[in-house]
Amino acid sequence: LEKGFVDLMRQHRLEDLKRLHTLLSRMDGGSERLCAAFVSHLKQQGTAIVKDEANDKDMVERLLAMKTAVDEVVTQAFGRTASDGTNDIFINGVKESFESFINCRQNVPAELIAKYIDSKLKSGNKGTSDEEIEITLDKALVLFRYIVGKDVFEGFYKKELAKRLLHGKSASIDAEKSMISKLKAECGSQFTQH
């Protein structure tokens, strides 16, 4: 864990991570130690992405790529070895990690996620299908769940939505309605009422 785990994570070596998990899960407290190393690595990697002010325009894309890679590690390498739900600690570790680092720069990730969604809903994305837009919006919504400043996101999202609608820049009214219903399901009707 101390000498090779970070390299295995960086190189996304799923088979080796799976072997490590299998080996450590046989030891008393081994899964917990692996999870602690996993959470520590995620927090370090995520904090570096969020605090990298020079690359703010790529933050959301980088976080989405990280989340996809992390989900692969959890399901393929740290997957359930029995019906006892052994990877629940890893799922909770991912949640704790993302909530921790995504909020280390107050309000900035909320603003950038709103702007990312805006860019995907603009009519400039004619080459993407409705299904691709839906998948992208769902992924962005996963990041939205981790942010504390949902009111900041709401302010930016409403401002960008108004601009898209007033200037006729919206790619699809169906996509707009879908996003609003997703936000309503996520945060309640008060969030989307105004």
Side-chain angles (χ1 to χ4, degrees), residues 44-70 98 101-102 105 112 116 143:
Q44 187 178 10
Q45 185 183 14
T47 302
I49 292 171
V50 172
K51 290 197 171 184
D52 185 6
E53 293 179 32
N55 291 313
D56 272 357
K57 65 183 184 323
D58 298 327
M59 179 195 296
V60 176
E61 290 281 354
R62 290 170 66 196
L63 287 174
L64 289 172
M66 178 185 170
K67 180 72 169 90
T68 301
V70 166
F98 271 79
F101 67 70
I102 208 162
R105 270 178 76 197
L112 294 175
Y116 175 80
L143 292 181

Side-chain angles (χ1 to χ4, degrees), residues 86-127:
T86 51
N87 79 344
D88 288 347
I89 61 170
F90 295 101
I91 292 168
N92 292 336
V94 169
K95 184 177 184 291
E96 174 201 328
S97 302
F98 271 79
E99 285 173 349
S100 168
F101 67 70
I102 208 162
N103 294 300
C104 69
R105 270 178 76 197
Q106 191 174 4
N107 300 336
V108 174
E111 174 186 351
L112 294 175
I113 292 168
K115 288 182 176 180
Y116 175 80
I117 291 172
D118 173 60
S119 73
K120 297 301 175 188
L121 289 172
K122 279 188 179 169
S123 57
N125 298 321
K126 289 288 185 201

Side-chain angles (χ1 to χ4, degrees), residues 7 26 39 47 60 73 76 86 123 139 144 156 177 186:
D7 288 334
R26 294 178 185 159
V39 167
T47 302
V60 176
V73 169
Q76 294 179 30
T86 51
S123 57
K139 288 180 179 179
F144 167 75
F156 280 103
K177 287 179 181 178
E186 201 66 41

Side-chain angles (χ1 to χ4, degrees), residues 137-148:
L137 295 178
D138 286 339
K139 288 180 179 179
L141 212 56
V142 169
L143 292 181
F144 167 75
R145 289 182 186 120
Y146 297 127
I147 58 175
V148 172

